[in-house]
Amino acid sequence: EDEEFNRKISPLFHADKIKVPLLIGQGANDPRVKQAEADQIVQAMVDKSIPVDYVLYPDEGHGFARPQNRIDFQGRTEIFLEKHLGGRSESFTPPEGATALLPILDGTLGKLVASAAPA
């Protein structure tokens, strides 16, 4: 019964219903939204060719505490909004000390998802 309910409400099983580009910023140490869950929804969207940008911060939790990472994500958000809503953005250079990883672009997303799968 719980499994059926979870399947019904989990975005992972409804990724095909997402119709607009999505930007996901994830802290690897987030106790509320586990990285594995973010990895899985991103992989589902990639598999279905739904536009998604995924930024992973290995030293962050729920919310970004480090100023360099907050500035980094704000810059990436501005570019994402320009790309998908139109308009313009400032040129972006990641701030020194920011720890952003880009699992889709660097090809590590599949490895992350596989390593998080139950044995």
Side-chain angles (χ1 to χ4, degrees):
E1 190 173 297
D2 285 342
E3 185 176 336
E4 181 181 333
F5 176 74
N6 288 337
R7 184 174 277 277
K8 184 186 260 187
I9 66 167
S10 171
L12 178 61
F13 298 103
H14 303 282
D16 57 322
K17 294 179 183 172
I18 299 171
K19 302 296 182 202
V20 296
L22 190 61
L23 170 64
I24 297 176
Q26 176 70 37
N29 303 314
D30 189 335
R32 294 177 190 92
V33 180
K34 303 291 185 196
Q35 179 189 332
E37 295 169 1
D39 294 344
Q40 290 171 351
I41 191 71
V42 170
Q43 186 66 60
M45 292 179 69
V46 168
D47 291 347
K48 295 177 188 322
S49 299
I50 301 167
V52 59
D53 288 3
Y54 182 34
V55 188
L56 176 65
Y57 295 90
D59 56 352
E60 294 286 2
H62 194 77
F64 304 136
R66 298 183 66 241
Q68 302 94 325
N69 289 339
R70 283 198 308 262
I71 293 167
D72 183 85
F73 192 68
Q74 290 167 355
R76 293 174 192 281
T77 300
E78 187 177 341
I79 291 168
F80 178 86
L81 293 172
E82 174 195 16
K83 178 179 173 184
H84 296 289
L85 296 180
R88 59 183 176 206
S89 66
E90 290 187 28
S91 63
F92 173 71
T93 302
E96 187 176 329
T99 60
L101 302 175
L102 306 170
I104 296 171
L105 297 178
D106 68 19
T108 61
L109 179 62
K111 295 174 189 139
L112 293 171
V113 172
S115 68

